Amino acid sequence: YAYHLVGDEGRLQINIQDEEWRYWRLTEEGHVEEEMPGLRFGENDYAKGFANAVDHLADLVAGATTNRSPGEDGLRSLEIIVAFYVSEYTGSRVNIPLERPLRDIEIRSW
């Protein structure tokens, strides 16, 4: 699957199967492909992403580290995930931040 996120400052394509992330910064001339700011993957980092996140969470619970991601980042991430599902289900574009009535949907994990 490939996901396309289009924002005010650029465009991001995420290809899950190929483990590829591509970023285009928006300029006055149009979109210019470049390395995505703040995103660096080492060899096998993509495949180990979930395990790394679980290890970090365990360290947080044990009080062995400080959180690298504030709650606001988590909320933004959840909003993006919800937008993926809504877009896939409806076959349409979804704006982020979510607008009403999507903003009022209760999300349950069970």
Side-chain angles (χ1 to χ4, degrees):
Y1 295 96
Y3 298 98
H4 301 271
L5 305 172
V6 181
D8 295 338
E9 298 180 22
R11 175 169 67 107
L12 176 64
Q13 176 183 309
I14 305 167
N15 186 319
I16 302 299
Q17 290 175 328
D18 295 337
E19 300 179 2
E20 179 183 62
W21 295 59
R22 294 177 66 191
Y23 173 72
W24 293 264
R25 183 174 48 86
L26 184 60
T27 67
E28 289 186 16
E29 293 80 33
H31 286 95
V32 176
E33 188 169 6
E34 59 185 44
E35 190 171 303
M36 188 171 150
L39 182 67
R40 305 285 182 272
F41 284 121
E43 190 172 329
N44 297 321
D45 282 351
Y46 190 90
K48 296 186 307 185
F50 184 76
N52 290 340
V54 170
D55 288 343
H56 181 63
L57 182 59
D59 289 343
L60 284 170
V61 171
T65 191
T66 58
N67 195 353
R68 294 186 292 239
S69 299
E72 293 83 8
D73 287 352
L75 180 59
R76 283 189 205 106
S77 296
L78 178 58
E79 201 166 38
I80 290 168
I81 292 167
V82 168
F84 282 154
Y85 282 106
V86 171
S87 177
E88 176 71 21
Y89 183 76
T90 63
S92 63
R93 288 185 176 187
V94 176
N95 291 325
I96 301 172
L98 294 175
E99 299 171 355
R100 287 195 158 74
L102 297 176
R103 181 169 275 245
D104 297 329
I105 294 173
E106 182 177 333
I107 298 171
R108 298 182 187 183
S109 61
W110 57 87

